[in-house]
DNA sequence: ACAGAATCCGGACCCTAGGTCCGCTTCAAT
DNA sequence: ATTGAAGCGGACCTAGGGTCCGGATTCTGT
């Protein structure tokens, strides 16, 4: 619950300083795992107490950073033009949404990794997952012939999990565009078989 | 490197005791996260030193347990009869493999969770992932019209990630058989769209 | 059976990193 | 200027993974 706004300017200034410092650290450092809270506090020129009061705990800080970076995409999805916006026909919006998620994770590898794997509880309990799943599920539901929207949404999102993306980009050295193409391809396959008209009908 | 066999009977007995105790603890306790190494040592009637000498570190212990439980399935996949064994036609083997993985994770929730999420490095660096991916990829490659076997294998396996399974089974209360059906369905969709008749032919 | 060496045992101990506490300072409202 | 509420910061607490080493146990050669 330590999330209420403060009107005091020192509090606001410090919160901002922490955000900036943390952002820099997470981007610069190799792994997010070896950025300690003490590091962040020091880099921000602030005491640990301040840091924890402002964000509650490590996860809270991560969340704040994540949401800040996610904001533009959220906007584009909620009120933007096609292919991300709500006016897009479902069949085109699903790949667009997943592509957006993938790109976001590619652009924010360390952060996404830290938040998604970040110890304790599963990513599925983190409240930032639910909106995506809900939306995707709703869009999938509008595609005729597609059953199990709920599971399908989960499964598709699973293909963009931060650690998988990290593995593909880092270990397997797959270039961004190729990964996007592969994901698009995969999504197409899932959507393509429409009314699950058997393996035989080539149409 | 602390993995070499010991011929001393006390060492062997203790190793076995630890394995049994850990197995019991991980099964009994709510979350795998709150089974500490000290707990395991105590439950096994053994000192921490012994435990760490035998398994190296926490991950080592998890791995040992995991592999023990996985053994029968590994057997079935490598030298067993269809639909898991190598004699199965690719089109049938892929769903069978994924179903086996899913069932395994359902039967070993806590353990799979602990090992997959288990802090530090991603599941993709854990050497137990690679064989599955390799196999699945190889089988996928034999299905005509299927491209991107590598990515597809990753994506399909991602749908059986321990924390997702845990979420579906635990949070969403989806019964085992339903989940298996949904996964089977999903796999079918991915395989079904054969030669990927284009994205353009749509509207 | 015995000695000596090699190995193992176990729990006290260390260390890191997240999180808390509290006396002091700063802010803002009157 | 006064005052009390809010914030500050770093010393401190705790948990849990991992290490160490004196003493016990087991193996081997004779």
């Amino acid at each position: 619950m330590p999330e209420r706004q403060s009107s005091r300017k020192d509090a606001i200034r410090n919160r901002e300083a922490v955000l900036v410092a943390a952002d820099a650290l997470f981007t610069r450092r190799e792994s997010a795992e070896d950025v300690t809270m003490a590091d962040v506090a020091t880099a921000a020129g602030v005491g640990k107490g301040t840091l924890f009061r402002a964000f509650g705990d490590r996860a809270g800080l991560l969340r704040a950073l994540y949401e800040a970076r996610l904001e533009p995409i959220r906007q584009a999805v909620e009120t933007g033009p096609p292919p991300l916006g709500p006016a897009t026909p479902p069949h085109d919006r699903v790949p667009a949404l997943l592509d957006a998620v993938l790109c976001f994770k590619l652009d924010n590898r360390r952060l996404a990794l830290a938040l998604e794997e970040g110890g304790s509880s599963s990513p599925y309990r983190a409240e930032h997952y639910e909106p995506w799943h809900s939306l995707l599920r709703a869009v999938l539901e509008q595609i005729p012939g597609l059953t199990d929207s709920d599971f399908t949404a989960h499964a598709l999102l699973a293909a963009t999990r931060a650690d998988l993306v990290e593995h593909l980009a880092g270990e397997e050295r797959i270039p961004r565009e190729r990964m996007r193409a592969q994901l698009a391809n995969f999504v197409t396959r899932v959507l393509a078989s429409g009314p699950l008209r058997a393996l035989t009908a080539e149409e």
Side-chain angles (χ1 to χ4, degrees), chain A:
Chain A
M1 331 317 194
E3 205 63 28
R4 69 175 174 287
Q5 285 278 57
S6 160
S7 48
R8 275 180 61 159
K9 72 178 180 196
D10 53 352
I12 297 176
R13 178 174 43 74
N14 279 333
R15 183 187 167 90
E16 212 54 39
V18 167
L19 241 13
V20 170
D23 198 286
L25 276 184
F26 280 119
T27 311
R28 184 168 13 262
R29 289 276 240 281
E30 203 50 41
S31 159
E33 214 56 38
D34 50 82
V35 174
T36 76
M37 295 303 267
D39 285 344
V40 174
T42 302
V46 145
K48 284 179 67 179
T50 304
L51 193 162
F52 278 95
R53 197 171 326 95
F55 297 97
D57 58 5
R58 187 185 171 88
L61 172 58
L62 273 310
R63 226 179 302 136
L65 278 171
Y66 198 76
E67 262 153 36
R69 299 230 198 151
L70 198 54
E71 189 53 23
I73 291 169
R74 232 181 41 103
Q75 287 289 332
V77 167
E78 280 179 10
T79 62
L84 272 184
T88 322
H91 219 84
D92 301 332
R93 204 179 177 201
V94 171
L97 287 172
L98 286 161
D99 186 58
V101 173
L102 175 61
C103 287
F104 178 76
K105 303 232 177 142
L106 279 167
D107 292 335
N108 301 278
R109 305 229 300 243
R110 317 280 163 72
L111 189 53
L113 246 180
L115 187 56
E116 227 160 272
E117 309 308 308
S120 47
S121 66
S122 76
Y124 297 97
R125 253 169 206 163
E127 64 285 0
H128 66 89
Y129 179 80
E130 204 274 325
W132 285 104
H133 175 256
S134 266
L135 174 61
L136 189 56
R137 169 207 176 122
V139 179
L140 284 171
E141 226 143 43
Q142 294 170 18
I143 296 181
L146 235 184
T147 55
D148 303 332
S149 316
D150 192 272
F151 180 85
T152 306
H154 280 305
L156 286 177
L157 283 173
T160 69
R161 293 262 313 242
D163 49 2
L164 176 53
V165 170
E166 171 69 20
H167 174 72
L168 293 176
E171 231 70 13
E172 300 197 8
R173 296 275 174 214
I174 296 179
R176 181 191 182 91
E177 294 309 320
R178 171 145 180 72
M179 208 185 305
R180 292 178 64 189
Q182 289 179 326
L183 177 63
N185 221 309
F186 184 75
V187 176
T188 301
R189 277 214 200 83
V190 173
L191 299 188
S193 45
L196 243 217
R197 50 128 190 43
L199 322 76
T200 50
E202 205 64 25
E203 165 176 7

